[in-house]
Amino acid sequence: MTYRVESPEEMIALGRGIAADLDSGSVVLLSGNLGAGKTTLSKGIAEGLHATSADDVSSPTFTLIHEYGAPVLMVHIDLYRLEDPRQLATLGLEEIFERGVPVIIEWPERFLRWLPPAHSFIRIEHDGDAR
Ligand code: ADP
Ligand code: MG
């Protein structure tokens, strides 16, 4: 499926819609260049999961993992800063995937072999004309 979204607000709304299709074991991989809108889509997913408000969601670029909700209703991971697959082991991903909450992962490309094979893959692209 392909969607066209023309603003951050539409991106967040799309995320809310995606959240409605997720279940407790869902893993969502968000692919796309820097600034494509991965974190913005994650904001909408977080809202749709009733984990937190869009404004509360920030990029886990440096912290690598953010958890939202109490109890946790969504885990948001950014693998951008990870250089080596061995570093993945230090994140405790196995335990995270067993927690039964949706896991959203930005920059998954280099680590696909170590991520759950059952996932949703969303590729976000700028439209050349749009910006
Ligand atoms: P990424 O996480 O992929 O690096 P962000 O989600 O941080 O990207 O988005 C980068 C910028 O683009 C933000 O300022 C965001 O508000 C804006 N943005 C996101 N989606 C869209 C869109 N569909 N149209 C226009 N701007 C967008
Ligand atoms: Mg981001």
Side-chain angles (χ1 to χ4, degrees), residues 40-96:
T40 307
L41 191 66
S42 303
K43 287 171 181 274
I45 295 173
E47 282 203 339
L49 293 172
H50 306 289
T52 193
S53 65
D55 287 347
D56 190 44
V57 175
S58 58
S59 179
T61 306
F62 294 97
T63 45
L64 304 182
I65 301 175
H66 286 169
E67 298 177 343
Y68 294 105
V72 174
L73 295 173
M74 169 178 139
V75 179
H76 186 195
I77 300 174
D78 189 331
L79 300 178
Y80 183 68
R81 314 265 321 167
L82 273 203
E83 284 161 16
D84 192 302
R86 279 171 298 184
Q87 292 175 284
L88 261 194
T90 68
L91 294 184
L93 290 185
E94 299 295 328
E95 183 268 333
I96 289 172

Side-chain angles (χ1 to χ4, degrees), residues 5-8 11 32-41 59 106-107 131:
V5 287
E6 313 232 354
S7 67
M11 194 65 123
N33 291 334
L34 199 64
K38 301 179 294 298
T39 298
T40 307
L41 191 66
S59 179
E106 300 189 34
W107 297 101
R131 298 197 244 177

